[in-house]
Amino acid sequence: MTALQSEIERRGKRVFELVDKYREPLFSKAGFYQRLMTLSMHDEQFKTQLFRFVAVLPSLRRSTEIVQHLEQYFSDTDNGFHPLVGIGVGVARLVPWISAPILRWNVSETARQFIAGRNPDEVIATLRKRRAQKIGFTVDVLGEAVVSEAEANEYAARYLDLLDKLARETRNWTDPPGKNAELFPVVNLSVKVSALYSQMNPAAPADAIAHLGTKLRPLLRRARELGAFINFDMESYALKNTTLELFKTILTEEEFRDWPHAGIVIQAYLRDAERDLCDLIEWGRARSTRFTVRLVKGAYWDYETMKSGQNGSHSPVFLQKPESDANFEGLTRVLFENESVVTAAFGSHNVRSIAHAQAVADELGIDPSRFEFQLLYGMAGPIKRALVEMSYRVREYCPIGELLPGMAYLVRRLLENTSNEGFLRAKFAENVPAKELLRDPRELIKPNGASRTQSSSPAVAENQHSENGTSLQATPADIFKNAPLVSFIYKDNQEKMQSALREVRERFGGKYPLVIGGEKVWTDELTPSVNPSAPNEIVGYGSEAGIPEAERAVKAARAAFGKWSRTPFEERARLLERAADILERRRYELSAVEVFEVGKPWNEADADIREAIDFCRFYAHEIRRLGRPKLTQQVPGEESYHHYWPRGVAFVIAPWNFPIAILCGMASAAVVTGNTVIMKPSEQSIICGAMLMQVFEEAGVPSGVLNFLSGHGSVIGAHLVDHKDVDLIAFTGSREVGLRIWQSAGVTRPGQRELKRVICEMGGKNAMIVDTDADLDETITYSIYSAFGYQGQKCSALSRLILLEENYYRVIERLILAAASLRVGNPEEPGIMVGPVIDEAAYRRILEYIEIGKKEATLAYQAKEVPPQGYFIPPTIFTDVKPNMRIAREEIFGPVLSVIKARDLDEAITIANSTDYALTGGFFSRSPANIERVKAQLEAGNVYINRSCTGAIVGRHPFGGFKMSGSGTKAGGEDYLLHFLVPRVVTENTSRLGLVPEKTPEYREEFLWPKPQR
Ligand SMILES: Cc1cc2nc3c(=O)[nH]c(=O)nc-3n(C[C@H](O)[C@H](O)[C@H](O)COP(=O)(O)OP(=O)(O)OC[C@H]3O[C@@H](n4cnc5c(N)ncnc54)[C@H](O)[C@@H]3O)c2cc1C
């Protein structure tokens, strides 16, 4: 054993002895809470339900509501608690006015255990008690998620007020150890930067720093005057780089450059942590003033792993708990080695981590009064006491706030206390021996090992299995992996996007040809494509096809069909995969083109390219599943194989709002199924279309298989829809055009071989319902994004928000404030949420709808300032909207939201369904029964619960609607390719004179003649 390890063990054992000496319940209060924690640790399902129930409880106002939720949450849990809950529910049902308040009281008390006070006065009383125990404090203000600037301003004012009160009340307090006191001001405030600016966007650190700077400077100034300390807490990974940058920027300013009483948090569970810490230290040395780092492991592990899991990106956090522990120790040493410039604070309840810090300090000769341990209020009391007795500095992190905003914090603490991997559970609930708890974490890291949590997940295991072999049984969603979104958290990626924007701008005014039968075709007419943010800028010109070019394209496609339809599906799948690789390579460039040509904000443009990549890879997987003829039934003496043929020539007509993804999705589906294609982009997004054509050319699409025809829908579009040699039309666009195509395709023309198949995806008038118990932080954030993201120009966008009477005013108030805080502007700039609408016609049409809305309903909010140039429509909200009004029935396709009031959920569902459309719909609720009901009854092709109603992901959320929203097809779904195919069955009698082959294979080679050369 090394000397360090034996010193850690010695110190750790001492802490444990003292903990045992002052044995008290681990958590400050026992009873109800202890029982629930014990049950939660032994039953994951119960734990999930319990934490969900705890989260919703403060928002339930009536006793009957509480009882209903109790029943809904726990009636299905199958454990020892069930009878208890059963009795509880029974009693509660009989006397809800007694039981519900008791329950609420119990949960409030539980929350209060972790919250030091509801207001400054309460908190100061708590701090006084701690002072008597020689424990210092840092105060944190709990609050709802900040969704508007009004809320952010309120927060800033609360911080300032708190600072003054704390300074006043603690004027005569002295430093407990009385040594090196100048490093540790008594008043210490922990600040969350996300509470001070509602529009923080990782892609736009400069914007965040500018806004946050104006809020923080007065606070820092006041802290300095009062001799107080300000700590910048660290939140989710998405905000990490901005928070670090902000800290360094402000504290380098002349005014704060020589002020030593500011600190920041480093989260050891992050893979970046060491680099960030070294960078901070280097900055601190250059600044030549001390600062503090609170080293923690990190509070958002579950959130970060979920987020990266959903995006399919590399997790920013370590996946094995001992890796975080070991990193914590490594960083402890870095901090101590740089003690001359940085003061260390260790935020941990883990005795091993604490003992390690003590031992390293000792080894390096650092006086114990020059660093401190910080622990959370309401947790690990005995450890705090032990540390005080050992003469270490201890500071308690004291949240202050009301119960409702405190719930998110409470749930985080509950999760931490019951976590399988947590130290507190191991020590206090499972009595793991000291020796075990004090082991060197480096010994516990498994080489190439995933964490318990990761490897035990069936979904992950399944994915790993299927990635290795393409099991034909697996559903495509299982074997297909989405491309991750680009993370604009990273400076690198921000710079790549900036330089792509510069390069694309340099190519403005370029000319793009048609491509017919593999040849570039130029016509006399050139159509300009303009930048909707600055209509005097021409992004490029597309050659305009007329009838002769359309005829030529049909001939080329027809001629290519014979060979392409007999090309093995594997070859066609590989073409799509090559296209996906090229899209990936040109990702930033193509995103930049979208920013200019259709006004997409950065992240929306990137999501569009990601979707195009996904479509290519997904349909490649799909054709491998569908391509081989499949035996229908195993019978002796006969074999019947079911398989598919392509339909013929496909005409693809795409919209401008997803200018590469939708065009690519429809075209790639048609190509991979063996059809030949004429691809027509929207008149507003010709350049994006031309770019996609380049991608397929580079991927090696054979001549005539994919033809690119830009031009007027009313000319070439109508001509080709009616053409006898076009067998299939794949259309996404407006209802008006869609219905015309549907009708026209029903007419059989002389010489026509096939009944035309139409794949038709049209608009929506999408509704989201907000239940009385909905989480309003989530509701506001997602509703605002769904309604105003990409200016409301997604067919999936929210346009009717249906609020239950009981919640109406509370939601409206926050909704309007949130809308008023949105960043409207030219999306070339990072972090813009609302850009221009697509063109002048759309601009005028939307303004007309706003005028109609003003007459029909109440204009509750309209942004006052939008850029003077370009087609910018101010985000607009109407209230008092009735379901029969035009603004509630007609698709507006712009940043206009109608809010409708409903008496109850029955009426809300009726209103939601009372539209011609059925594309997307959503529901915000925490009532399991109401959620189930809406899942069953909402008429929409895509129903989303407690999230935005936009942003469908290929393979995960197959997308498309019914009623007047479409013909019921699902882009990115496993039945999509079937619409591009005709099924065929080939049956053969395989017996000869009574001789019957033993078994017929389930799959066979494709029916191709002549057989392809291998
Ligand atoms: C005073 C104080 C202030 C804090 N401030 C912040 C802050 O500003 N920002 C912040 O994010 N956190 C902060 N925390 C940290 C956080 O809230 C947790 O309290 C802390 O991570 C628990 O660590 P531990 O050392 O006490 O316990 P341990 O039980 O030793 O560690 C638990 C931690 O290990 C990590 N972990 C769990 N499972 C895994 C896994 N499978 N793989 C890898 N790592 C895993 C997680 O970070 C988890 O919280 C603060 C903590 C304290 C005490």
Side-chain angles (χ1 to χ4, degrees), residues 301-313 316 782 956:
W301 189 86
D302 297 85
Y303 174 82
E304 303 296 359
T305 43
M306 174 189 78
K307 277 285 161 201
S308 52
Q310 282 182 355
N311 189 33
S313 47
Y782 288 131
R956 196 175 306 169

Side-chain angles (χ1 to χ4, degrees), residues 233-235 265 267 269 294 296-301 318-321 324-325 347-350 353 374-376 397 413 416 421-424 451 453:
D233 279 6
M234 200 56 90
E235 303 172 70
V265 173
Q267 297 157 314
Y269 66 9
R294 178 198 298 153
V296 303
K297 279 164 208 164
Y300 307 86
W301 189 86
F318 290 112
L319 298 180
Q320 298 185 55
K321 165 74 165 57
S324 297
D325 293 336
S348 174
H349 303 127
N350 183 324
S353 308
Q374 298 188 352
L375 295 93
L376 299 179
Y397 185 92
R413 295 289 74 80
E416 190 170 328
E421 313 246 14
F423 177 86
L424 292 178
S451 75
T453 332

Side-chain angles (χ1 to χ4, degrees), residues 814-835:
R814 289 189 81 192
L815 187 79
I816 289 176
L817 292 174
S821 308
L822 291 174
R823 291 187 66 207
V824 182
N826 186 337
E828 200 177 337
E829 204 186 303
I832 290 292
M833 169 102 155
V834 185

